Amino acid sequence: MRYKIQSMSDIGRVRKSNQDFLGYTTNNEGCLFAIVCDGMGGHAHGELASKMAVETFIRLFEKETFLEKDDNQINQWLRDSVKQIVQEMKDHVDVFYETHDMGTTLTAVLFVEKKAFVVNIGDSRTYRLKDGKLNQITVDQNLWNDKDNREKRKEEIKNYLGAKFNEMTYWKVLTSAIGPNKNTKIDTYLLNDNVGTFVLTTDGVHDYIDAETFTEILSSKRRLKSKAKDMIEFAMNNFSTDNLSLLIVEMMGE
């Protein structure tokens, strides 16, 4: 497995702290794991939630083996790991109750031989650029994508908030997140061919960069660090109001 990898995070120009957290590592088998989390800024201790999620997932990954597992077993391991993260958050709340409302998004990719296993909770995203085409692998878990309940929920919240209701930000309200007291829906995706450039982003990046610019920057011949910097700078110059984090993995096959 040949690859290049680059991570970058910036507090941005509006927030007073950076509640994003990200990381990557390999295990003894040479499998690669990359993860990005965005602590929920409207909730206390979002920075703790994102840090706990990343560090726990990486710890679980480093002591696990995957080469003898089939696809279903690897998928189950991803789901079990998310449940373990939630349990450790609950255990933390038992000691530090003030952290009971913490929450975070999570998007991660596990590379095993020629395959890529993606897990996602919330509205951070995983993309892949291959053959010049950008594909968003994950689906945001927000009210916009909650086809069954979105109109009903909209009317309820509109009636509750009255004049304070904001159409644009309403649709971004999360329907799933990781936390000790959050509704957690685990989405998983399998790519049987992992060649290409994978990009994991928080919404402070992808909400402020169009697909054409995203593709143009990734397709350039520049180093990964320069690409990451260009994407973050573009988003900030496009009035990003959030922390900005991304992780680029350029997979080159066996």
Side-chain angles (χ1 to χ4, degrees):
M1 187 187 299
R2 296 183 301 119
Y3 63 87
K4 296 178 182 178
I5 193 164
Q6 178 68 52
S7 64
M8 192 169 291
S9 186
D10 196 291
I11 191 173
R13 295 171 180 166
V14 177
R15 298 295 175 92
K16 294 181 179 179
S17 64
N18 192 347
Q19 296 192 326
D20 293 351
F21 207 83
L22 67 171
Y24 59 88
T25 189
T26 56
N27 69 355
N28 293 330
E29 297 175 316
C31 300
L32 172 66
F33 183 71
I35 180 171
V36 168
C37 290
D38 180 357
M40 295 168 69
H43 299 249
H45 307 286
E47 72 287 347
L48 174 62
S50 60
K51 187 172 187 287
M52 284 186 70
V54 171
E55 292 182 344
T56 303
F57 223 143
I58 284 179
R59 186 187 79 237
L60 295 172
F61 165 77
E62 288 178 334
K63 64 183 184 182
E64 190 58 74
T65 58
F66 301 95
L67 298 184
E68 300 301 320
K69 287 181 169 60
D70 62 29
D71 294 349
N72 289 332
Q73 290 172 321
I74 294 175
N75 180 67
Q76 190 59 51
W77 177 83
L78 289 170
R79 292 176 177 276
D80 290 343
S81 296
V82 171
K83 293 173 184 176
Q84 177 67 28
I85 292 168
V86 172
Q87 185 55 54
E88 293 196 14
M89 288 180 171
K90 289 179 182 290
D91 294 342
H92 185 86
V93 170
D94 287 342
V95 181
F96 303 99
Y97 179 75
E98 65 273 15
T99 64
H100 69 97
D101 197 33
M102 67 176 171
T104 183
T105 69
L106 181 152
T107 196
V109 188
L110 168 58
F111 297 94
V112 181
E113 295 185 305
K114 295 181 180 180
K115 297 181 179 181
F117 298 82
V118 180
V119 59
N120 192 73
I121 298 103
D123 65 353
S124 292
R125 294 178 182 173
T126 293
Y127 296 85
R128 177 171 68 164
L129 178 72
K130 185 180 180 185
D131 299 327
K133 295 180 180 179
L134 183 68
N135 178 43
Q136 182 183 327
I137 298 168
T138 56
V139 176
D140 296 348
Q141 295 176 340
N142 56 25
L143 286 173
W144 177 255
N145 291 316
D146 185 11
K147 307 296 185 186
D148 296 330
N149 301 305
R150 66 183 191 178
E151 290 302 330
K152 178 185 174 185
R153 291 284 303 278
K154 178 181 177 181
E155 289 307 312
E156 290 174 352
I157 294 178
K158 206 171 184 179
N159 291 333
Y160 176 74
L161 292 178
K164 294 182 180 178
F165 179 82
N166 184 305
E167 185 89 27
M168 293 297 292
T169 57
Y170 164 76
W171 293 117
K172 280 181 56 63
V173 172
L174 295 182
T175 55
S176 172
I178 297 180
N181 294 294
K182 303 299 180 190
N183 175 57
T184 303
K185 178 177 177 288
I186 306 169
D187 288 338
T188 55
Y189 309 83
L190 170 60
L191 284 72
N192 287 306
D193 163 25
N194 65 20
V195 174
T197 301
F198 289 77
V199 188
L200 289 66
T201 60
T202 59
D203 61 351
V205 176
H206 59 244
D207 278 357
Y208 298 90
I209 184 167
D210 59 279
E212 183 178 350
T213 303
F214 201 124
T215 303
E216 182 181 326
I217 293 173
L218 282 182
S219 301
S220 72
K221 301 298 182 183
R222 306 185 71 190
R223 298 174 63 180
L224 290 190
K225 186 174 183 179
S226 296
K227 293 180 183 182
K229 185 177 180 181
D230 286 350
M231 291 179 73
I232 285 179
E233 286 186 350
F234 183 94
M236 281 201 292
N237 290 334
N238 202 27
F239 307 107
S240 175
T241 58
D242 207 345
N243 306 140
L244 307 93
S245 298
L246 59 83
L247 201 157
I248 305 175
V249 187
E250 192 175 286
M251 298 297 297
M252 297 169 281
E254 296 293 313

